[in-house]
Amino acid sequence: GESVGLHLPTLSVQEGDNSIINCAYSNSASDYFIWYKQESGKGPQFIIDIRSNMDKRQGQRVTVLLNKTVKHLSLQIAATQPGDSAVYFCAEGQAGTALIFGKGTTLSVSS
Amino acid sequence: GAGVSQSPRYKVAKRGQDVALRCDPISGHVSLFWYQQALGQGPEFLTYFQNEAQLDKSGLPSDRFFAERPEGSVSTLKIQRTQQEDSAVYLCASSLALSGTGAEKLFFGSGTQLSVL
């Protein structure tokens, strides 16, 4: 079946570096994509979303890029901080259906 | 309240026991979702409510799982005759928007961690 997945299960970076977390999706009919951050013992927290008719969206220290040609989504975190350490999920959605989550990438930031 | 509240935070059940998990969504949020998250995995959809109506229960893994939201606010997920494979974190999320409008910002609770022995 169609699903959303992430390329790498773990990513380790140094404090201050830029981080790039990738996600491949297979459902070309998805209307929007969302990145969530999940800290240990907590529920997922919304970071940023992007609609399928866009290819880039920027937030505070985060940028999401969408490449529909290769069905690829990425989350860029600028000047990564220890507080960014968490599991990051991409999720895809269509009007009328529930969000489908990928498996997650664990980001570890060392100072 | 400040956010989505779930109780209990942890639940240990003996195999065969019935459990009830509670979710208090953010006041005024129309949509309510239940997700199941196995260790090391992403959340998987279980069921969805719009006000008191359960519009989608396609993700419920068996007829042992039942969810309700009788007054369109608090929701309860009930699992009957629990099995070891039911062990997971059960997440509740609410949204102000009606599902289907796209890109709903879901607000998640911290979940109930269920362990079935």
Side-chain angles (χ1 to χ4, degrees), chain A residues 32 34 36 38 41 43-44 46 49 51 89 95-99 101-103, chain B residues 9 35 37 40-43 45 91 99-100 102-106 108-110:
Chain A
Y32 56 93
I34 304 176
Y36 282 89
Q38 187 173 26
F46 176 95
D49 62 356
R51 294 192 179 272
F89 294 97
T97 65
L99 283 177
F101 286 79
K103 291 185 178 180
Chain B
R9 185 72 181 87
Y35 282 81
Q37 187 173 26
Q41 303 295 314
F45 171 76
L91 294 165
S99 181
E104 295 90 2
K105 182 180 288 189
L106 293 186
F108 282 86
S110 294

Side-chain angles (χ1 to χ4, degrees), chain A:
Chain A
E2 295 181 304
S3 64
V4 177
L6 292 173
H7 290 298
L8 294 174
T10 61
L11 177 65
S12 296
V13 301
Q14 291 284 325
E15 182 178 2
D17 287 352
N18 295 332
S19 302
I20 300 176
I21 301 173
N22 296 305
C23 174
Y25 67 94
S26 58
N27 187 355
S28 57
S30 293
D31 297 320
Y32 56 93
F33 303 86
I34 304 176
W35 282 101
Y36 282 89
K37 172 186 180 184
Q38 187 173 26
E39 296 174 287
S40 180
K42 296 183 179 180
Q45 179 184 7
F46 176 95
I47 301 174
I48 191 168
D49 62 356
I50 187 168
R51 294 192 179 272
S52 59
N53 60 354
M54 302 170 66
D55 53 23
K56 180 179 180 179
R57 190 166 188 215
Q58 288 186 291
Q60 191 172 23
R61 276 202 310 120
V62 295
T63 300
V64 56
L65 299 178
L66 176 62
N67 185 331
K68 293 181 288 294
T69 302
V70 295
K71 296 180 184 173
H72 183 267
L73 188 70
S74 69
L75 177 70
Q76 301 178 0
I77 304 173
T80 313
Q81 302 167 1
D84 294 326
S85 295
V87 180
Y88 289 81
F89 294 97
C90 66
E92 63 173 324
Q94 285 180 265
T97 65
L99 283 177
I100 299 174
F101 286 79
K103 291 185 178 180
T105 291
T106 299
L107 176 64
S108 298
V109 182
S110 54
S111 52

Side-chain angles (χ1 to χ4, degrees), chain B residues 18-31:
Chain B
D18 296 349
V19 298
L21 312 179
R22 178 187 169 104
C23 172
D24 283 86
I26 294 173
S27 179
H29 277 199
V30 171
S31 300

